[in-house]
Amino acid sequence: MVDKSLELFDPGHRACGGCGPALAARLILKGAGRETIVVSSTGCMEVFSTPYPETAWRVPWIHSLFENASAVASGVEASLKKQGRSEKVVCICGDGATFDIGILCISGAFERGHDITYICYDNEAYMNTGIQRSAATPYDASTTTSPAGACSFGNKLPKKDMPGILAAHGAPYVATASIAYPADLMQKVERAVNTPGPCYLQVHTPCCTGWGFDGSKTIGLSKLAIETGLWVNFEMVDGEVTKAKKVVRKPVEDYLKMQKRFRHLFKPVLQKDEIAKIQAIADSNAEKYGIDIRV
Amino acid sequence: MLKITEGSHAVAEAVKFCRPEVIAAYPITPQTHIVEALAEMVANCELDSEYICVESEFSALSACLGASAAGSRVYSATSSQGLALMFEVCFNVAGMRLPVVMSIANRSLGAPLSIWNDQQDSISLRDSGWMQVYAEDNQEATDLHFIAYKVAEDHDILLPAFVCFDGFILSHTYEPVDVPAQEEVDAYLPSFKPYQRLDAADPISMGMYATPDYYMEFRYEISRAMERAKEALKRAGREFDEEFGRDYSAPVEGYRLEDADTAIVALGSICGTVKDAIDEMRGSGRKVGLLKIRSFRPFPDKEILKALDDVSTVAVLDKNVSLGSGAGGALGLEVKDALYGSGIEVKDYITGLGGRDVRKRDIANITDLAESGKGDMYYGLREEVL
Amino acid sequence: MVLNIGCAARPGKAGDNKTGSWRVFKPVFNQELCKKCGLCALLCPEGCVTVNDEEEYIPDYDYCKGCGLCAEECPADGAIDMVQEEK
Ligand SMILES: Cc1ncc(C[n+]2csc(CCOP(=O)(O)OP(=O)(O)O)c2C)c(N)n1
Ligand code: SF4
Ligand code: SF4
Ligand SMILES: [Mg+2]
């Protein structure tokens, strides 16, 4: 067991107050421990934590490009193997880097079976460049490249199923987690880094600036995502879902109405049909993962 | 030991003796035989390397970047489209000062698609911060790998290097090559000592971003390292000569240049043809010589000026073109820059693109053109199809 | 200062950037109401809440950005109050 009281991510970083990804970085390092080499992609976390020479990382850390973290990690892992070293290699990358531009390198690294853990901190858009849509952006969210307008309800596409894609690569351990449940998150990180082979973890990390809510509500909102079924915390071992967090579900409005990115669904008029479509996404998640506690 | 071998195999042998700990490469014509040969050596336990069979050149160089940062000597090889796909990573490797060595089996860039030789691929990365050395024959292609590692890994330099040799013309040609023995290479090339590395026992952050307060200074430091690399290449070349009896210490090399009125300047395997053409022209009393450029990055501007001081006309052969610059290739533009104000007439000839043969009589024609003041042109166009 | 080769750096310098200056509201910790659950320390995105030998949770105002997350999540009524920063 790693000592989870260790602080390996320094204050002084430049994340927005209440930033979900900043909290995720702290918690991930607690779960992974000191003997970890982190590979980051270009994005908010990289930028807020490493303006030269003020690094916030107390573990060895490397950033190369937006889309190549998993390939860099493959090289790090191969080198450690050759040298007989035992550090764990962990990628921590944004959803844009993971779902979109980096998928070639990720697919390659997972297919080759490197002993790495790839963690996506999912804030559901390209935040660093000003809140543009990614394949992780949820249905109907308004972003700067999928804006809601007179003839648009925002992002028209559903979230891509990255855990499913990586499970299909034969990853021995795939899981989702949320900063709302820190103990669960840290335990999943610890399990992933100690599972031989390529493991994938997708962590829900609300972004107050990009989603439009007050930074004090970051944890509350993460919880609501789970309580509405719009985010499911689950574990997959060898491609089978072995565990999913069960909830007494709340209506999706409770989650949506707290965020500016969904405001167009409530004002100037309530868009009942659109909200019903989002409710249907939650219902299908609940069905797929069996999360409903019936009361 | 002298043996008749294919250029790519000689290079692969040389790489093996350099003991790379991690190899990551992706096949592309005409580089394929190198990486196939290395894979075979690993499969037969002749080479103890981690061979990462990546899904793209982009990942090949990214993996090399990671392995180098973690403290291993690394190797890759590519050509043409593969190098173009690595573009972004190339700048990154150099900026992070990682001493990656990569063979480039030179090939043209599409479109139109062409698998045949020119040097547009590596030349297009001239501003990336990689050293670039060009081989005339397979012996030189082999030997330059030892020199490249030695200079790249020098803690005073820490720059990556391309060892360029012409695709097919060298890579697929059988020539006698003296490949040194492992003990000899070990005596010349010490084992890899990283300047800094990712290590949990002594953590550092690598690849941070620089604000406008720092960025220029980091770029300037790369320029300075390039400048120092000029001396380091000479030194490593001299040491190689002492060990192996082949001298690559000079960044430029003259051939029958002493009393020449006209000099041809060229990079790579074309120098062999030029030498033969010069011998013939000399036979008919013409005072022609060659200046072969071995190191294109760092660019030996002072050495070029010195070597060409006494000629009146210079004809530069460019197997690349800087589109939009008129009929200028990168070498021509830089030689003109090096000779600016000297009064020497410099003409540039774009030739041999996409595998077009350049023969002895073409060199003689180009010499005629240069001496009659015609140049800065494509040479060898098939007018009938235009 | 001499540049580190390749834009690399050792840990320890992030703290030079005192993000406490960003604060508009300030969390005031009332120790007598604290239930010692430690959630504030666990959840602070800055990692700037620490616990001392008396088991008191204390924010480091050099870095606290005043996001209010600790106050929002604190289960003990009134143990953390957000008050207007006075500068
Ligand atoms: C090849 C390339 N294309 C585009 C960019 C610009 N860019 C930098 S970060 C970024 C978005 C990052 O999004 P994500 O991975 O979700 O991380 P976040 O900023 O949201 O934390 C983009 C588009 C880049 N750096 N490199
Ligand atoms: S924009 Fe979002 S992800 Fe980026 S630092 Fe701010 S809160 Fe964090
Ligand atoms: S207000 Fe925010 S930054 Fe300050 S101690 Fe609380 S959680 Fe940390
Ligand atoms: Mg994102």
Side-chain angles (χ1 to χ4, degrees), chain A residues 84-108:
Chain A
R85 285 163 59 186
S86 59
E87 291 110 308
K88 307 290 184 188
V89 184
V90 177
C91 296
I92 310 181
C93 306
D95 50 290
T98 306
F99 285 59
D100 294 338
I101 200 165
I103 196 165
L104 166 75
C105 297
I106 297 171
S107 178

Side-chain angles (χ1 to χ4, degrees), chain A residues 21 41-45 66-67 93-98 101 121 123 125-129 132 134, chain B residues 88:
Chain A
S41 58
T42 312
C44 260
M45 188 183 288
F66 185 20
E67 66 278 29
C93 306
D95 50 290
T98 306
I101 200 165
Y121 68 95
N123 56 13
Y126 302 164
M127 296 314 175
N128 184 48
T129 38
Q132 294 90 13
S134 80
Chain B
E88 198 189 5

Side-chain angles (χ1 to χ4, degrees), chain B residues 12-287:
Chain B
E13 283 276 292
V15 169
K16 173 175 102 175
F17 291 139
C18 292
R19 302 184 190 274
E21 293 150 284
V22 176
I23 298 171
Y26 191 82
I28 181 168
T29 305
Q31 153 267 35
T32 36
H33 292 183
I34 307 173
V35 296
E36 288 169 357
L38 288 167
E40 200 174 309
M41 291 170 191
V42 172
N44 290 324
C45 298
E46 289 165 34
L47 171 58
D48 182 18
S49 296
E50 286 294 321
Y51 188 107
I52 313 179
C53 203
V54 285
E55 82 299 329
S56 67
E57 286 89 352
F58 181 76
S59 281
L61 192 56
S62 298
C64 284
L65 182 154
S68 182
S72 292
R73 177 175 290 161
V74 301
Y75 174 76
S76 192
T78 193
S79 301
S80 179
Q81 313 302 136
L83 185 59
L85 190 56
M86 291 176 175
F87 183 96
E88 198 189 5
V89 196
C90 282
F91 278 73
N92 225 243
V93 167
M96 292 170 77
R97 308 292 297 275
L98 297 170
V100 177
V101 171
M102 182 151 70
S103 312
I104 308 295
N106 284 112
R107 164 183 156 182
S108 50
L109 272 171
L113 178 71
S114 158
I115 59 166
W116 292 279
N117 166 254
D118 66 30
Q119 295 162 345
Q120 190 74 55
D121 48 5
S122 49
I123 293 284
S124 296
L125 276 151
R126 66 182 177 176
D127 301 332
S128 64
W130 287 61
M131 295 183 279
Q132 296 195 11
V133 289
Y134 289 76
E136 176 183 342
D137 55 28
N138 285 336
Q139 185 66 61
E140 189 169 6
T142 305
D143 293 341
L144 286 178
H145 283 83
F146 308 118
I147 293 172
Y149 273 113
K150 195 166 178 110
V151 176
E153 294 172 359
D154 181 337
H155 286 189
D156 215 26
I157 307 297
L158 296 172
L159 291 174
F162 293 155
V163 179
C164 305
F165 71 128
D166 286 312
F168 291 116
I169 300 170
L170 295 181
S171 66
H172 286 53
T173 299
Y174 281 73
E175 282 178 1
V177 176
D178 186 352
V179 182
Q182 181 71 68
E183 313 78 68
E184 294 174 301
V185 177
D186 289 345
Y188 176 74
L189 181 65
S191 59
F192 180 46
K193 298 214 170 37
Y195 173 78
Q196 55 194 2
R197 67 170 196 184
L198 299 166
D199 185 347
D202 184 15
I204 53 166
S205 291
M206 298 174 86
M208 303 173 70
Y209 78 94
T211 58
D213 285 342
Y214 288 107
Y215 184 86
M216 279 219 349
E217 285 72 18
F218 279 114
R219 302 307 285 175
Y220 176 66
E221 283 299 340
I222 302 173
S223 293
R224 288 219 294 199
M226 265 297 175
E227 207 48 47
R228 291 194 295 271
K230 289 182 177 177
E231 273 315 306
L233 279 164
K234 286 181 195 164
R235 207 176 327 124
R238 270 197 304 275
E239 286 167 26
F240 189 86
D241 189 22
E242 282 158 23
E243 191 81 23
F244 302 98
R246 291 186 291 276
D247 185 3
Y248 303 105
S249 61
V252 294
E253 216 170 74
Y255 179 76
R256 303 189 78 168
L257 206 55
E258 302 76 35
D259 61 340
D261 293 329
T262 300
I264 293 167
V265 177
L267 273 179
S269 66
I270 201 172
C271 291
T273 315
V274 174
K275 285 177 182 171
D276 291 344
I278 285 172
D279 290 345
E280 282 182 11
M281 288 189 274
R282 285 272 177 180
S284 52
R286 299 180 63 179
K287 290 188 168 176

Side-chain angles (χ1 to χ4, degrees), chain C residues 27 29 43-46 48-49 59 63-71 82:
Chain C
F29 284 52
L43 293 178
C44 170
E46 315 311 311
C48 72
V49 182
Y63 301 106
C64 165
K65 293 173 185 166
C67 70
L69 201 153
C70 51
M82 296 304 291

